Amino acid sequence: MLDRSQAPAFQIPDSIQLLHPEVRLLPNGIPVHFIPTPEIQIIRMEICVSASLDNLLVEKRFIPFFTLEMLVEGTKTKSSEEIADFFDTYAAEVDTSIGFEFLQINLTSTKKHFLKVLPVFRELLTDAVFPEQELAKKKRQKSLQLSVNRGKTSYWASQLFKREMFGADHPFGQISVAEDVDSVQREDLIRYYENHLWNKPQIFLTGNVGNEEIEAIGELLGDLTVRSISPVESKFVNKPNHRVYEEKKDSVQSTIRIGCHVVPNSHPDHLPFWVMNTLLGGYFGSRLSKNIREDKGHTYGIYSAVGSLSSSDYWMVAADVIKAHSEEVFIEIYREVERIKHEPIPTDELETLRNYMAGKLLSQFNSSFEMISRFKSVHLSGLDFGYYQRQLEYILSFKENDIRNVAKKYLDPSKFVEILVG
């Protein structure tokens, strides 16, 4: 008999059971990575392409954004209203996103209607017409959004942080202004659409996918012309510590950003740095949260995080704080950085951290949609699914000295960028 008065023994699994995606190549060489999930009557297709932002003029930085935004605003055979009605009728959705290095064009559909909506989705990729009237409307909306965001301390601090980290002349560090919106013309979008958009594409597919759907994708997308525009190699280095301060007299809060460049996720020090960052500010029970949020009440939330790029990662501390306590928060952040370098870490704190990180990692693979998202993340960084197994193994085996040593090696305040807005 099962003794229900006793809780089951706590044990962290020592391996992750992952469904590795299958791979097919379309006739034009585009790889399709897919995880069939027959029990789910939904199919999601994500087309990920290289953004090639460094090939654009500084004043034309909004071209990729507006190109993606305008894909559903009309084709040679359909108006924007007809496109919207079509996808609504068949319970399908098209969405787009843009990041530092990649653009995404996504289609979500029921399995029943996937073959019906796929040809219209292809039209968006080949026959978009970018009507002037719709572009003008979207430009007005974007200008208003920029104006509103400019008054938000958190938004502006993030913009300044990017500029200081990557440089004002690099695509990653350029600050968007209304004049950049005004400079975008319909001809710019058409040129980017025809010459850049289909740059090194990869397709990530999940849901109830069978041979019929794979063959249809090959027929409809396998004849598209693929571009191969390589990004300019970028090497980012940390500069001597400096602070950028922008006062906002009417603001009742200030936004803080502190950060530096660190090693990429392919480097041997990446995993110990990842663990160290979690202890410092990477979860709700972190040291920064306990000190500055819980003990002192200077903020509703403070965190540290690692951002991933193909050339290098970057580390950042972020918080919105009570304006009067801004300088004290800076002091306490640096105090916690020094503590993690030099003071012993209690065993119970290490075990709490270990259990949290293991649980967090394992919870990221609960569905095939999460699985393909995790795969895409490492695949685009040049890694494979083995990365997550290595993460789990490191979580189970890391030592206190690993955390201390990597903090000493990379958290050098003399090389931090500091941003204060408010």
Side-chain angles (χ1 to χ4, degrees), residues 16-28:
I16 305 176
Q17 302 302 317
L18 301 176
L19 293 174
H20 288 257
E22 300 178 40
V23 184
R24 301 269 185 93
L25 289 181
L26 301 188
N28 52 5

Side-chain angles (χ1 to χ4, degrees), residues 58-320:
V58 170
E59 64 272 16
K60 299 293 187 179
R61 68 193 74 175
F62 274 121
I63 290 176
F65 169 81
F66 282 112
T67 302
L68 294 185
E69 285 284 298
M70 291 290 292
L71 290 179
V72 295
E73 297 302 332
T75 66
K76 294 175 182 178
T77 64
K78 295 178 179 62
S79 68
S80 60
E81 292 81 6
E82 289 171 326
I83 292 172
D85 288 344
F86 176 85
F87 285 117
D88 285 346
T89 298
Y90 292 101
E93 180 183 13
V94 175
D95 64 275
T96 61
S97 63
I98 181 169
F100 277 151
E101 297 175 302
F102 298 98
L103 312 177
Q104 273 199 199
I105 308 164
N106 310 317
L107 171 65
T108 305
S109 170
T110 61
K111 179 181 176 66
K112 178 180 178 180
H113 295 133
F114 183 76
L115 298 180
K116 182 75 174 179
V117 302
L118 189 59
V120 178
F121 180 73
R122 176 202 155 94
E123 282 189 47
L124 307 182
L125 305 175
T126 59
D127 297 330
V129 294
F130 306 98
E132 289 276 14
Q133 185 175 357
E134 294 299 330
L135 176 58
K137 178 181 176 181
K138 288 192 176 292
K139 287 171 65 174
R140 289 194 298 271
Q141 292 171 339
K142 187 62 177 178
S143 293
L144 177 60
Q145 181 188 45
L146 286 175
S147 177
V148 172
N149 286 342
R150 180 67 176 80
K152 298 177 181 178
T153 60
S154 57
Y155 170 84
W156 195 242
S158 294
Q159 294 296 305
L160 295 175
F161 180 77
K162 290 191 303 179
R163 186 191 69 188
E164 297 304 312
M165 289 288 289
F166 302 114
D169 295 329
H170 194 279
F172 298 168
Q174 293 165 2
I175 294 180
S176 303
V177 294
E179 288 75 15
D180 298 324
V181 175
D182 296 336
S183 74
V184 173
Q185 303 300 318
R186 177 175 180 268
E187 292 73 21
D188 297 322
L189 307 189
I190 294 173
R191 193 177 303 112
Y192 187 84
Y193 180 70
E194 294 177 346
N195 300 322
H196 292 270
L197 184 59
W198 209 240
N199 183 27
K200 298 181 180 178
Q202 298 194 58
I203 297 175
F204 301 88
L205 193 64
T206 192
N208 193 348
V209 181
N211 287 330
E212 189 177 13
E213 287 79 18
I214 297 294
E215 290 173 4
I217 292 171
E219 291 174 5
L220 288 167
L221 303 182
D223 64 342
L224 300 179
T225 301
V226 175
R227 311 292 178 186
S228 184
I229 305 169
S230 297
V232 176
E233 285 289 327
S234 299
K235 184 172 180 59
F236 303 111
V237 296
N238 290 313
K239 303 173 184 177
N241 170 263
H242 65 284
R243 178 183 294 188
V244 176
Y245 171 53
E246 187 165 312
E247 183 179 11
K248 288 187 177 293
K249 293 183 178 180
D250 297 334
S251 177
V252 296
Q253 72 173 21
S254 294
T255 294
I256 286 172
R257 299 285 187 268
I258 298 175
C260 63
H261 295 287
V262 293
V263 292
N265 55 16
S266 58
H267 193 280
D269 285 339
H270 169 75
L271 289 178
F273 190 92
W274 170 60
V275 172
M276 182 277 300
N277 170 73
T278 306
L279 176 64
L280 179 63
Y283 76 119
F284 201 64
S286 69
R287 290 187 168 188
L288 290 176
S289 183
K290 287 180 177 178
N291 178 346
I292 298 169
R293 180 187 183 276
E294 296 180 19
D295 293 348
K296 296 182 174 59
H298 293 337
T299 178
Y300 282 116
I302 183 170
Y303 67 92
S304 62
V306 180
S308 289
L309 299 170
S310 58
S311 53
S312 72
D313 286 5
Y314 62 94
W315 172 79
M316 178 182 71
V317 176
D320 292 325

Side-chain angles (χ1 to χ4, degrees), residues 325-342:
H325 299 297
S326 300
E327 290 302 328
E328 185 180 352
V329 171
F330 273 106
I331 292 171
E332 293 301 327
I333 290 171
Y334 283 109
R335 180 171 293 155
E336 293 299 340
V337 167
E338 293 307 307
R339 280 189 61 217
I340 212 166
K341 289 181 184 179
H342 302 294

